[in-house]
Amino acid sequence: DAGVIQSPRHEVTEMGQEVTLRCKPISGHNSLFWYRQTMMRGLELLIYFNNNVPIDDSGMPEDRFSAKMPNASFSTLKIQPSEPRDSAVYFCASSSGTVVFGYTFGSGTRLTVV
Amino acid sequence: QQQVKQSPQSLIVQKGGISIINCAYENTAFDYFPWYQQFPGKGPALLIAIRPDVSEKKEGRFTISFNKSAKQFSLHIMDSQPGDSATYFCAASLLNQAGTALIFGKGTTLSVSS
């Protein structure tokens, strides 16, 4: 199994541009999570899906952020318009539905907004 | 989000020493407490976890101590090695709720000097 696959690994964009981050979870995992990591705030939960349905998006910082999961094998996190304070490492993780088996994280997307 | 508070933010330990990282939680309904380990450029990975029905769990050099009444738990790394140098995150969750999201602490960067 290739694990959770995130793309791109690095993204540099100008303020005001649209950014789309992509995630392919592990096949058979029915929960998917988007986290953001910064030095100041650590790992923040942005949104999570169960069986492709968004369960809790209360961590999404503002309306500029949106996430979709059109099917069990793909999810996107979109930022429009992007701002410098959105610079962070964004992680996608998937699990088999119960936390006891652990989350499998992707390698993350390092986003820099200039 | 329910908070999980982690300390210290960073820790330097000599090779062979004991590393101790502490966490405190607020939500008494939490019943699953994992620790994740993250190496540079990688996503976090499950290291060890505990449920509140036991006060201690040991796996090799890694031990979780749990104090339910104080709502605190800690990670002890015995005989710390340079290869243990990483960022460690504590987390908390509800075990028997499908798709439940882990709430992470802010992380502790551990450096083990040789």
Side-chain angles (χ1 to χ4, degrees), chain A residues 12-47:
Chain A
V12 180
T13 190
E14 290 186 347
M15 182 174 61
Q17 295 298 306
E18 177 180 296
V19 176
T20 299
L21 311 181
R22 298 173 175 80
C23 175
K24 177 178 170 55
I26 289 177
S27 177
H29 282 190
N30 59 355
S31 296
L32 183 139
F33 309 85
W34 283 100
Y35 285 87
R36 177 172 68 176
Q37 184 176 17
T38 60
M39 288 295 293
M40 288 294 294
R41 302 175 71 89
L43 267 173
E44 295 177 274
L45 175 66
L46 299 177
I47 185 171

Short mmCIF file of all heavy atoms in Angstrom, two decimals, chain A residues 12-47:
data_model
loop_
_atom_site.label_atom_id
_atom_site.label_comp_id
_atom_site.label_asym_id
_atom_site.label_seq_id
_atom_site.Cartn_x
_atom_site.Cartn_y
_atom_site.Cartn_z
N VAL A 12 4.13 27.16 -3.76
CA VAL A 12 4.40 28.57 -3.50
C VAL A 12 3.46 29.36 -4.40
O VAL A 12 3.41 29.14 -5.62
CB VAL A 12 5.87 28.94 -3.81
CG1 VAL A 12 6.09 30.41 -3.52
CG2 VAL A 12 6.82 28.09 -2.98
N THR A 13 2.71 30.25 -3.80
CA THR A 13 1.74 31.01 -4.57
C THR A 13 1.70 32.44 -4.09
O THR A 13 2.16 32.76 -2.99
CB THR A 13 0.35 30.37 -4.46
OG1 THR A 13 -0.54 30.97 -5.40
CG2 THR A 13 -0.22 30.55 -3.06
N GLU A 14 1.15 33.29 -4.92
CA GLU A 14 1.04 34.70 -4.55
C GLU A 14 -0.28 34.95 -3.83
O GLU A 14 -1.30 34.30 -4.12
CB GLU A 14 1.13 35.58 -5.79
CG GLU A 14 2.52 35.60 -6.41
CD GLU A 14 2.62 36.58 -7.56
OE1 GLU A 14 1.58 37.08 -8.02
OE2 GLU A 14 3.75 36.88 -7.99
N MET A 15 -0.24 35.88 -2.94
CA MET A 15 -1.44 36.27 -2.21
C MET A 15 -2.58 36.56 -3.19
O MET A 15 -2.37 37.22 -4.20
CB MET A 15 -1.15 37.52 -1.37
CG MET A 15 -2.28 38.00 -0.53
SD MET A 15 -1.80 39.35 0.54
CE MET A 15 -1.29 40.57 -0.63
N GLY A 16 -3.75 36.04 -2.86
CA GLY A 16 -4.91 36.27 -3.70
C GLY A 16 -5.21 35.16 -4.69
O GLY A 16 -6.31 35.08 -5.23
N GLN A 17 -4.23 34.27 -4.88
CA GLN A 17 -4.43 33.17 -5.81
C GLN A 17 -5.20 32.03 -5.15
O GLN A 17 -5.21 31.87 -3.93
CB GLN A 17 -3.09 32.65 -6.32
CG GLN A 17 -2.31 33.67 -7.16
CD GLN A 17 -3.07 34.07 -8.41
OE1 GLN A 17 -3.48 33.22 -9.21
NE2 GLN A 17 -3.27 35.36 -8.58
N GLU A 18 -5.81 31.21 -5.97
CA GLU A 18 -6.50 30.01 -5.49
C GLU A 18 -5.49 28.87 -5.36
O GLU A 18 -4.63 28.69 -6.24
CB GLU A 18 -7.61 29.62 -6.46
CG GLU A 18 -8.32 28.33 -6.09
CD GLU A 18 -9.42 27.99 -7.09
OE1 GLU A 18 -10.39 28.76 -7.20
OE2 GLU A 18 -9.30 26.95 -7.76
N VAL A 19 -5.61 28.13 -4.28
CA VAL A 19 -4.74 26.99 -4.04
C VAL A 19 -5.59 25.75 -3.81
O VAL A 19 -6.57 25.81 -3.05
CB VAL A 19 -3.85 27.22 -2.80
CG1 VAL A 19 -3.01 25.99 -2.50
CG2 VAL A 19 -2.96 28.43 -3.01
N THR A 20 -5.24 24.65 -4.44
CA THR A 20 -5.96 23.39 -4.23
C THR A 20 -4.98 22.31 -3.82
O THR A 20 -4.01 22.02 -4.54
CB THR A 20 -6.70 22.95 -5.50
OG1 THR A 20 -7.67 23.95 -5.85
CG2 THR A 20 -7.43 21.64 -5.25
N LEU A 21 -5.24 21.74 -2.66
CA LEU A 21 -4.43 20.64 -2.13
C LEU A 21 -5.21 19.35 -2.31
O LEU A 21 -6.42 19.33 -2.12
CB LEU A 21 -4.10 20.87 -0.66
CG LEU A 21 -3.55 22.26 -0.29
CD1 LEU A 21 -3.24 22.32 1.20
CD2 LEU A 21 -2.35 22.62 -1.12
N ARG A 22 -4.50 18.28 -2.64
CA ARG A 22 -5.15 17.02 -2.97
C ARG A 22 -4.71 15.89 -2.05
O ARG A 22 -3.57 15.88 -1.59
CB ARG A 22 -4.89 16.66 -4.43
CG ARG A 22 -5.45 17.69 -5.41
CD ARG A 22 -5.05 17.43 -6.84
NE ARG A 22 -5.69 18.36 -7.76
CZ ARG A 22 -5.28 19.60 -7.98
NH1 ARG A 22 -4.21 20.08 -7.34
NH2 ARG A 22 -5.93 20.37 -8.83
N CYS A 23 -5.61 14.93 -1.87
CA CYS A 23 -5.32 13.81 -0.98
C CYS A 23 -5.99 12.54 -1.49
O CYS A 23 -7.18 12.54 -1.84
CB CYS A 23 -5.80 14.11 0.43
SG CYS A 23 -5.60 12.73 1.59
N LYS A 24 -5.22 11.48 -1.51
CA LYS A 24 -5.76 10.15 -1.81
C LYS A 24 -5.58 9.30 -0.56
O LYS A 24 -4.46 8.97 -0.18
CB LYS A 24 -5.03 9.51 -2.99
CG LYS A 24 -5.48 8.10 -3.32
CD LYS A 24 -4.73 7.55 -4.52
CE LYS A 24 -4.98 6.07 -4.74
NZ LYS A 24 -6.42 5.75 -4.86
N PRO A 25 -6.68 8.92 0.11
CA PRO A 25 -6.56 8.13 1.35
C PRO A 25 -6.22 6.68 1.04
O PRO A 25 -6.23 6.26 -0.12
CB PRO A 25 -7.95 8.25 1.96
CG PRO A 25 -8.86 8.43 0.79
CD PRO A 25 -8.08 9.22 -0.22
N ILE A 26 -5.94 5.93 2.08
CA ILE A 26 -5.69 4.50 1.93
C ILE A 26 -7.00 3.81 1.56
O ILE A 26 -8.05 4.08 2.15
CB ILE A 26 -5.10 3.93 3.23
CG1 ILE A 26 -3.67 4.43 3.41
CG2 ILE A 26 -5.14 2.41 3.24
CD1 ILE A 26 -3.01 3.99 4.69
N SER A 27 -6.91 2.92 0.60
CA SER A 27 -8.08 2.19 0.16
C SER A 27 -8.70 1.41 1.32
O SER A 27 -7.99 0.71 2.07
CB SER A 27 -7.69 1.22 -0.96
OG SER A 27 -8.79 0.45 -1.38
N GLY A 28 -10.01 1.57 1.50
CA GLY A 28 -10.69 0.87 2.59
C GLY A 28 -10.87 1.71 3.83
O GLY A 28 -11.69 1.38 4.69
N HIS A 29 -10.11 2.78 3.96
CA HIS A 29 -10.30 3.69 5.08
C HIS A 29 -11.54 4.55 4.81
O HIS A 29 -11.69 5.10 3.72
CB HIS A 29 -9.08 4.58 5.27
CG HIS A 29 -7.95 3.90 5.95
ND1 HIS A 29 -6.81 4.57 6.39
CD2 HIS A 29 -7.76 2.60 6.31
CE1 HIS A 29 -5.98 3.73 6.97
NE2 HIS A 29 -6.55 2.52 6.92
N ASN A 30 -12.40 4.70 5.82
CA ASN A 30 -13.65 5.43 5.58
C ASN A 30 -13.70 6.78 6.29
O ASN A 30 -14.74 7.45 6.25
CB ASN A 30 -14.86 4.58 5.96
CG ASN A 30 -14.83 4.16 7.41
OD1 ASN A 30 -13.87 4.42 8.12
ND2 ASN A 30 -15.90 3.52 7.87
N SER A 31 -12.60 7.15 6.95
CA SER A 31 -12.54 8.47 7.56
C SER A 31 -11.34 9.22 7.02
O SER A 31 -10.25 8.64 6.87
CB SER A 31 -12.44 8.36 9.08
OG SER A 31 -13.60 7.77 9.63
N LEU A 32 -11.54 10.51 6.76
CA LEU A 32 -10.46 11.34 6.22
C LEU A 32 -10.44 12.66 6.97
O LEU A 32 -11.50 13.24 7.27
CB LEU A 32 -10.66 11.58 4.72
CG LEU A 32 -9.55 12.38 4.02
CD1 LEU A 32 -9.25 11.78 2.65
CD2 LEU A 32 -9.91 13.85 3.91
N PHE A 33 -9.22 13.09 7.26
CA PHE A 33 -9.04 14.28 8.09
C PHE A 33 -8.05 15.24 7.42
O PHE A 33 -7.05 14.80 6.85
CB PHE A 33 -8.46 13.88 9.46
CG PHE A 33 -9.23 12.79 10.15
CD1 PHE A 33 -8.97 11.45 9.86
CD2 PHE A 33 -10.21 13.09 11.08
CE1 PHE A 33 -9.68 10.43 10.48
CE2 PHE A 33 -10.92 12.08 11.71
CZ PHE A 33 -10.66 10.75 11.41
N TRP A 34 -8.32 16.51 7.53
CA TRP A 34 -7.38 17.55 7.11
C TRP A 34 -6.90 18.31 8.36
O TRP A 34 -7.71 18.82 9.14
CB TRP A 34 -8.03 18.53 6.14
CG TRP A 34 -8.18 18.02 4.74
CD1 TRP A 34 -9.31 17.52 4.16
CD2 TRP A 34 -7.18 18.01 3.72
NE1 TRP A 34 -9.06 17.18 2.86
CE2 TRP A 34 -7.77 17.47 2.56
CE3 TRP A 34 -5.83 18.39 3.67
CZ2 TRP A 34 -7.06 17.31 1.35
CZ3 TRP A 34 -5.14 18.24 2.48
CH2 TRP A 34 -5.75 17.70 1.34
N TYR A 35 -5.57 18.36 8.51
CA TYR A 35 -4.96 19.10 9.60
C TYR A 35 -4.01 20.15 9.02
O TYR A 35 -3.46 20.00 7.94
CB TYR A 35 -4.14 18.18 10.52
CG TYR A 35 -4.94 17.30 11.45
CD1 TYR A 35 -5.41 16.06 11.03
CD2 TYR A 35 -5.23 17.72 12.75
CE1 TYR A 35 -6.14 15.25 11.90
CE2 TYR A 35 -5.96 16.91 13.61
CZ TYR A 35 -6.40 15.68 13.18
OH TYR A 35 -7.12 14.89 14.05
N ARG A 36 -3.79 21.21 9.80
CA ARG A 36 -2.82 22.24 9.44
C ARG A 36 -1.79 22.33 10.56
O ARG A 36 -2.17 22.37 11.75
CB ARG A 36 -3.51 23.58 9.25
CG ARG A 36 -2.58 24.73 8.93
CD ARG A 36 -3.35 26.00 8.56
NE ARG A 36 -4.10 26.57 9.66
CZ ARG A 36 -4.78 27.71 9.56
NH1 ARG A 36 -4.81 28.36 8.41
NH2 ARG A 36 -5.44 28.18 10.60
N GLN A 37 -0.50 22.35 10.22
CA GLN A 37 0.55 22.41 11.23
C GLN A 37 1.34 23.71 11.09
O GLN A 37 1.87 24.01 10.02
CB GLN A 37 1.51 21.22 11.11
CG GLN A 37 2.57 21.20 12.20
CD GLN A 37 3.45 19.96 12.13
OE1 GLN A 37 3.50 19.25 11.14
NE2 GLN A 37 4.13 19.68 13.23
N THR A 38 1.42 24.45 12.18
CA THR A 38 2.26 25.63 12.27
C THR A 38 3.01 25.58 13.59
O THR A 38 2.63 24.85 14.52
CB THR A 38 1.46 26.94 12.22
OG1 THR A 38 0.55 26.95 13.35
CG2 THR A 38 0.66 27.06 10.93
N MET A 39 4.09 26.33 13.69
CA MET A 39 4.86 26.36 14.93
C MET A 39 4.01 26.91 16.07
O MET A 39 4.07 26.43 17.19
CB MET A 39 6.11 27.21 14.74
CG MET A 39 7.18 26.56 13.88
SD MET A 39 7.85 25.08 14.65
CE MET A 39 8.69 25.80 16.04
N MET A 40 3.22 27.94 15.75
CA MET A 40 2.46 28.62 16.81
C MET A 40 1.29 27.78 17.32
O MET A 40 0.99 27.77 18.50
CB MET A 40 1.94 29.96 16.27
CG MET A 40 3.02 31.00 16.10
SD MET A 40 3.72 31.51 17.68
CE MET A 40 2.30 32.31 18.43
N ARG A 41 0.62 27.08 16.43
CA ARG A 41 -0.64 26.44 16.80
C ARG A 41 -0.59 24.91 16.76
O ARG A 41 -1.58 24.26 17.06
CB ARG A 41 -1.74 26.96 15.89
CG ARG A 41 -1.91 28.48 15.95
CD ARG A 41 -2.93 28.96 14.94
NE ARG A 41 -4.28 28.57 15.32
CZ ARG A 41 -5.09 29.28 16.09
NH1 ARG A 41 -4.68 30.46 16.55
NH2 ARG A 41 -6.29 28.87 16.39
N GLY A 42 0.56 24.36 16.38
CA GLY A 42 0.68 22.91 16.34
C GLY A 42 -0.19 22.31 15.25
O GLY A 42 -0.35 22.88 14.18
N LEU A 43 -0.77 21.14 15.53
CA LEU A 43 -1.63 20.43 14.58
C LEU A 43 -3.08 20.80 14.85
O LEU A 43 -3.67 20.38 15.84
CB LEU A 43 -1.46 18.92 14.75
CG LEU A 43 -0.45 18.19 13.91
CD1 LEU A 43 -0.33 16.75 14.36
CD2 LEU A 43 -0.81 18.25 12.43
N GLU A 44 -3.66 21.53 13.94
CA GLU A 44 -5.06 21.95 14.08
C GLU A 44 -5.94 21.13 13.15
O GLU A 44 -5.65 21.02 11.96
CB GLU A 44 -5.23 23.41 13.66
CG GLU A 44 -4.54 24.44 14.48
CD GLU A 44 -4.78 25.80 13.84
OE1 GLU A 44 -4.01 26.17 12.93
OE2 GLU A 44 -5.73 26.51 14.24
N LEU A 45 -7.03 20.61 13.68
CA LEU A 45 -8.00 19.90 12.85
C LEU A 45 -8.82 20.92 12.08
O LEU A 45 -9.42 21.81 12.67
CB LEU A 45 -8.91 19.05 13.72
CG LEU A 45 -10.06 18.34 13.00
CD1 LEU A 45 -9.52 17.30 12.04
CD2 LEU A 45 -11.01 17.71 14.01
N LEU A 46 -8.86 20.78 10.77
CA LEU A 46 -9.64 21.70 9.93
C LEU A 46 -11.03 21.13 9.66
O LEU A 46 -12.04 21.79 9.88
CB LEU A 46 -8.92 21.97 8.61
CG LEU A 46 -7.54 22.61 8.72
CD1 LEU A 46 -6.91 22.75 7.34
CD2 LEU A 46 -7.62 23.95 9.41
N ILE A 47 -11.07 19.90 9.17
CA ILE A 47 -12.33 19.27 8.80
C ILE A 47 -12.12 17.78 8.73
O ILE A 47 -11.00 17.32 8.51
CB ILE A 47 -12.84 19.80 7.43
CG1 ILE A 47 -14.22 19.26 7.07
CG2 ILE A 47 -11.83 19.50 6.32
CD1 ILE A 47 -14.84 19.91 5.83
#
